[in-house]
């Protein structure tokens, strides 16, 4: 167990900012490592660098990075979940470098993301694809006020467990976190 | 009320086939008319022709049209709902020309779509955005074996009713319809 003091020091040193062009190599390293296990994200574990970065750095999404001691330890994207008459609901995706997991990086990015989404005028945030076996994510989203509003039977082809369920999670944004 | 015999004659004359390049003007006419009311589809009611056709005729989707007496009366698209490890679940969207509504065109396209999705090896079909006030669609999807598996509070900005709920609907594809 990391002591609370150590955790706080680490969190205090965490800076979250918009991604820049020269973050691309580090974002790809994180993306590749996170999807490689095939147990939490829908992306093909063998996705190419080009496809991954085209998706993550799409002009329709805002991309952020979390930096600790000048090292990029996480990244997230924030975008509309739907166009037009559904564009008041945000969607987001989060990735933490495997070497930085368990340090609160995901939680810090999620709080930052909820604040950004609120600031940008979104009325709610929706996650379309939370794999039911991903207990860490489920706990975090529930901690942050998300509710399970849907269950998709067998919608994820888990690398180890085969077809597992997926949750749709939702949270209104009527206050700053 | 249309008499059963008349309905059958109309349905018998309905042909459903893959879209061709020269169907584009008719597809756009249907798309424009269907989204203009802002009460069922998420697309901006004032979407441009280019944006609409880029979405509907995306290389990642298969587009079909329903033709009755040489007139294009409906169109649907069939695609993966997610990439990679979620690509075994299909997604589809349906549009019927306002002048042809109430004649079973939507139902005929939906059955065709379920058969196509089954043939292509999909294991399930998911609708991400069924507006709760769209009773015609809800009744049709439930008739065809779809279940409401999720509810998104206020996720649709309805042109008349303001923020209304949206359903996520899902159906396994283990048999031919």
């Amino acid at each position: 167990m990391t002591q609370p003091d150590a955790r706080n020091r680490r969190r205090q040193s965490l800076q979250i900012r918009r991604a820049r062009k020269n973050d691309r190599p580090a974002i790809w390293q994180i993306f590749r490592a996170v999807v490689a296990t095939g147990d939490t994200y829908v992306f093909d574990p063998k996705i190419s660098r080009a496809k991954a970065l085209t998706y993550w750095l799409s002009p329709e999404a805002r991309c952020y990075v979390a930096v600790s001691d000048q090292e990029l330890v996480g990244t997230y994207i924030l975008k509309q979940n739907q166009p037009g008459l559904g564009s008041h609901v945000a969607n987001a995706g989060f990735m933490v470098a495997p070497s930085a997991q368990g340090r609160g990086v995901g939680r810090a990015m999620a709080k930052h993301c909820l604040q950004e989404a609120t600031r940008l005028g979104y009325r709610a945030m929706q996650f379309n694809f939370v794999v039911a076996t991903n207990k860490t994510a489920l706990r975090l989203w529930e901690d942050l006020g998300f509710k399970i509003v849907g269950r998709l039977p067998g919608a994820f082809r888990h690398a180890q467990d085969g077809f597992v369920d997926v949750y749709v999670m939702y949270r209104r944004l009527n206050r700053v976190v």
Side-chain angles (χ1 to χ4, degrees), chain A residues 39-41 130-139 141 158:
Chain A
D39 57 356
T40 46
Y41 282 83
V130 182
V131 176
T133 49
N134 186 0
K135 300 298 178 196
T136 309
L138 275 169
R139 201 178 316 121
W141 304 143
H158 189 292

Side-chain angles (χ1 to χ4, degrees), chain A residues 6 9 22 25 31-32 47 76-78 83 91 93-94 96 98-99 112 114 121 124 128 136 163 167 170:
Chain A
R9 269 201 306 279
N22 60 5
F31 194 108
R32 181 165 62 169
I47 192 171
Y76 82 84
I77 56 170
L78 172 61
N91 172 249
F94 301 85
V96 177
S99 60
H112 188 273
L114 286 166
N128 301 302
T136 309
F163 293 102
Y167 294 125
Y170 199 88

Side-chain angles (χ1 to χ4, degrees), chain A residues 28-41:
Chain A
W28 164 236
Q29 288 309 314
I30 293 176
F31 194 108
R32 181 165 62 169
V34 167
V35 306
T37 48
D39 57 356
T40 46
Y41 282 83

Side-chain angles (χ1 to χ4, degrees), chain A residues 13-118:
Chain A
S13 80
L14 197 72
Q15 185 212 352
I16 299 174
R17 58 163 174 79
R18 291 292 293 277
R20 300 171 192 143
K21 203 157 188 181
N22 60 5
D23 294 325
R24 292 168 68 95
I27 290 172
W28 164 236
Q29 288 309 314
I30 293 176
F31 194 108
R32 181 165 62 169
V34 167
V35 306
T37 48
D39 57 356
T40 46
Y41 282 83
V42 78
F43 307 104
D44 180 346
K46 291 184 178 133
I47 192 171
S48 70
R49 183 185 195 274
K51 275 196 178 173
L53 291 180
T54 297
Y55 174 82
W56 203 254
L57 300 172
S58 151
E60 288 165 16
R62 297 165 70 93
C63 181
Y64 299 79
V65 293
V67 182
S68 175
D69 293 332
Q70 296 170 52
E71 189 195 353
L72 210 150
V73 292
T75 178
Y76 82 84
I77 56 170
L78 172 61
K79 59 182 176 172
Q80 296 175 1
N81 195 50
Q82 294 282 351
L85 304 178
S87 64
H88 56 290
V89 179
N91 172 249
F94 301 85
M95 292 192 176
V96 177
S99 60
Q101 277 167 14
R103 286 201 227 160
V105 175
R107 182 177 297 260
M109 289 197 299
K111 286 187 172 180
H112 188 273
C113 177
L114 286 166
Q115 281 170 347
E116 282 290 271
T118 304

